[in-house]
Amino acid sequence: MSHMIPAWVDGTLTPVEKLAAHQKGLKHKAVSVFVVKGGEILMQRRALGKYHTPGLWANTCCTHPQWDEPSSACAVRRMKEELGITGLYPEFRHHLEYRADVGNGLIEHEVVDVFLAHAHRPVKLAPNPEEVMETRWVDYHDLLAEVQRHPDRFTPWLKIYLNSYSDVIFGPDLSLGSAEDS
């Protein structure tokens, strides 16, 4: 099934087939969500059937909005579709752009709305095996250390978010949150 995503062609936002957008490295819209609980982030490991970066760890979920879909609605939809998470309402944190080689001749050139959702009670997970092979909660500071030590385990965009945008994405929430817990 071909999936059309909003991409810029000659400066105009146009529906483009997802694979073609990545083959051509076209700039396109994306949505990324981080679910956090205390000082921990919910991570997903991408299913081996994914057409790029299979088996790598990424943030809670990332996707492309449908043509007329608002980012906030897309974030809620994908948390449910990928991980079975309901009842969380992610808060918009940052709008950023990055370009990264994701292997197999594919380029992610994304204009991303990044959202943060706070889980104040245990989160019921029902990962979709076509999307997600594994999940885990990881302490924010441990994650930063692991990404430094084993960068090959993580998707390019996760490394970009953590290296360049962690202050705006997590703000004081995690850097202070984990200090209070100790």
Side-chain angles (χ1 to χ4, degrees):
M1 184 190 90
S2 84
H3 181 55
M4 306 301 276
I5 63 172
W8 282 268
V9 179
D10 299 327
T12 305
L13 203 53
T14 310
V16 176
E17 205 280 314
K18 182 167 80 168
L19 187 57
H22 294 99
Q23 287 166 336
K24 295 174 183 161
L26 296 177
K27 183 164 84 170
H28 57 275
K29 284 189 173 182
V31 169
S32 250
V33 183
F34 284 87
V35 172
V36 298
K37 186 177 66 187
E40 294 188 319
I41 298 172
L42 178 61
M43 303 285 292
Q44 71 151 277
R45 190 169 173 210
R46 291 166 62 82
L48 292 178
K50 299 292 277 183
Y51 71 100
H52 73 63
T53 55
L56 295 186
W57 286 96
N59 50 300
T60 312
C61 68
C62 322
T63 191
H64 306 99
Q66 292 163 354
W67 176 249
D68 273 334
E69 185 178 34
S71 292
S72 54
C74 175
V76 169
R77 174 176 64 84
R78 287 306 286 180
M79 285 194 306
K80 184 172 197 299
E81 290 173 358
E82 291 188 25
L83 293 156
I85 296 174
T86 56
L88 293 184
Y89 295 93
E91 165 196 339
F92 172 77
R93 276 305 170 93
H94 196 57
H95 182 75
L96 63 93
E97 181 176 333
Y98 77 89
R99 188 181 169 94
D101 183 332
V102 290
N104 296 336
L106 302 175
I107 300 284
E108 280 285 17
H109 184 180
E110 295 196 329
V111 176
V112 192
D113 285 338
V114 183
F115 291 84
L116 186 71
H118 282 282
H120 297 291
R121 52 190 170 274
V123 178
K124 276 205 196 78
L125 296 178
N128 173 351
E130 288 181 16
E131 297 283 345
V132 180
M133 63 187 291
E134 198 179 337
T135 61
R136 63 181 167 130
W137 290 94
V138 58
D139 175 82
Y140 172 67
H141 298 284
D142 291 344
L143 176 62
L144 295 178
E146 189 181 341
V147 168
Q148 291 301 318
R149 221 171 289 132
H150 302 285
D152 51 313
R153 293 180 184 172
F154 298 91
T155 62
W157 61 88
L158 180 77
K159 291 183 275 196
I160 292 168
Y161 296 163
L162 293 176
N163 291 334
S164 306
Y165 300 101
S166 58
D167 291 356
V168 280
I169 294 172
F170 303 110
D173 299 74
L174 291 192
S175 28
L176 298 176
S178 42
E180 288 163 15
D181 298 337
S182 55

